[in-house]
Amino acid sequence: MHDIARFIKGFQSFQKRFFCDDSSLYDILKGGQKPRTLVIACIDSRVDPAILTGSQPGELLVVRNVANLVPPYEPDAGLHGVSAALEHGVTRLEVEHIIVLGHACCGGIQTLMTLQEHQDQKTEFLGNWVRIADRARLQTLTDLGDKPTDLQQQACEQAAILVSLENLLTFPWVKQRVEAGTLFLHGWYFDLRTGDLMSYLPESGAFEPLAPRCW
């Protein structure tokens, strides 16, 4: 119950800041939202997009799932939560940027990297979900199969971001807007071990720091 009490106290601070001290932001937001950026992030409790970017309410449209994955475009009768969120953000809210935000020490990618080793440990949903990035795993093992597991893990985390960026372009209304120059895709990687935030640069084919370190 200690956590719940702390959460309530935290909400009271939020309420005081945005509704008691100055309600001007929510006076605007109650009329509707118009975020310019959609972030696809992991459910990991250590990697909150709004906290990492210092964003205010209404600035980010956030989709979170295990390992920040984007499935390919599959317009069938399935229940596609990520795809529905993308459709809402792109075609209705008309976001201008989509950021796929991956991170170090990702449990979802760790599960992906060890799937073949633990065939006896079946999962109901997790295994099938992370297989969205299976080509990232295969590429990592091809390139770094003789390297330490922590290096493989990081490489797969970053490669999975690229898989999601590629999958985004399988959605026709995403691809159309990207080609028209009205929507921009970004691959970011937060290294929670070092505090670095990096972005994938197609020119170099590598993840480069977005900001200098503060120390």
Side-chain angles (χ1 to χ4, degrees):
M1 293 301 293
H2 173 73
D3 283 345
I4 300 301
R6 184 164 53 84
F7 296 156
I8 294 171
K9 186 175 181 180
F11 170 73
Q12 289 175 319
S13 296
F14 164 85
Q15 186 182 56
K16 181 176 186 299
R17 177 183 176 188
F18 289 106
F19 288 88
C20 299
D21 294 346
D22 183 1
S23 65
S24 59
L25 176 58
Y26 272 91
D27 286 341
I28 296 170
L29 291 177
K30 67 186 179 184
Q33 62 169 330
K34 190 58 180 174
R36 292 198 295 269
T37 302
L38 186 157
V39 180
I40 300 160
C42 185
I43 62 170
D44 195 296
S45 61
R46 301 165 293 180
V47 187
D48 186 302
I51 293 175
L52 287 180
T53 60
S55 294
Q56 294 275 61
E59 289 187 313
L60 296 180
L61 190 68
V62 180
V63 183
R64 300 186 74 168
N65 64 63
V66 174
N68 44 269
L69 297 176
V70 176
Y73 178 67
E74 294 176 327
D76 55 31
L79 302 176
H80 303 294
V82 174
S83 301
L86 279 172
E87 183 179 22
H88 183 69
V90 172
T91 68
R92 296 194 175 185
L93 297 178
E94 299 181 328
V95 296
E96 299 170 12
H97 300 273
I98 298 178
I99 300 170
V100 178
L101 175 62
H103 67 95
C105 309
C106 179
I109 297 299
Q110 183 180 32
T111 297
L112 173 65
M113 292 296 291
T114 57
L115 277 178
Q116 303 305 312
E117 300 174 19
H118 304 294
Q119 290 291 348
D120 56 325
Q121 297 180 14
K122 300 295 184 182
T123 61
E124 288 191 88
F125 306 105
L126 186 57
N128 284 336
W129 174 255
V130 296
R131 281 191 178 92
I132 290 172
D134 201 43
R135 65 181 185 271
R137 179 185 68 85
L138 294 173
Q139 187 63 53
T140 298
L141 293 177
T142 297
D143 296 342
L144 303 171
D146 59 344
K147 301 299 182 182
T149 55
D150 58 341
L151 185 59
Q152 292 181 17
Q153 168 92 11
Q154 178 172 315
C156 191
E157 288 162 351
Q158 295 182 349
I161 294 172
L162 304 187
V163 169
S164 286
L165 290 174
E166 292 170 5
N167 284 347
L168 279 171
L169 292 174
T170 66
F171 291 81
W173 23 268
V174 170
K175 185 177 181 180
Q176 179 184 20
R177 286 166 172 79
V178 169
E179 291 177 345
T182 59
L183 178 63
F184 301 90
L185 308 184
H186 312 268
W188 286 9
Y189 180 80
F190 173 56
D191 193 334
L192 54 84
R193 300 163 301 188
T194 65
D196 290 317
L197 180 63
M198 295 175 279
S199 177
Y200 178 74
L201 300 182
E203 314 87 72
S204 65
F207 284 82
E208 304 289 347
L210 274 170
R213 291 185 179 181
C214 58
W215 61 91

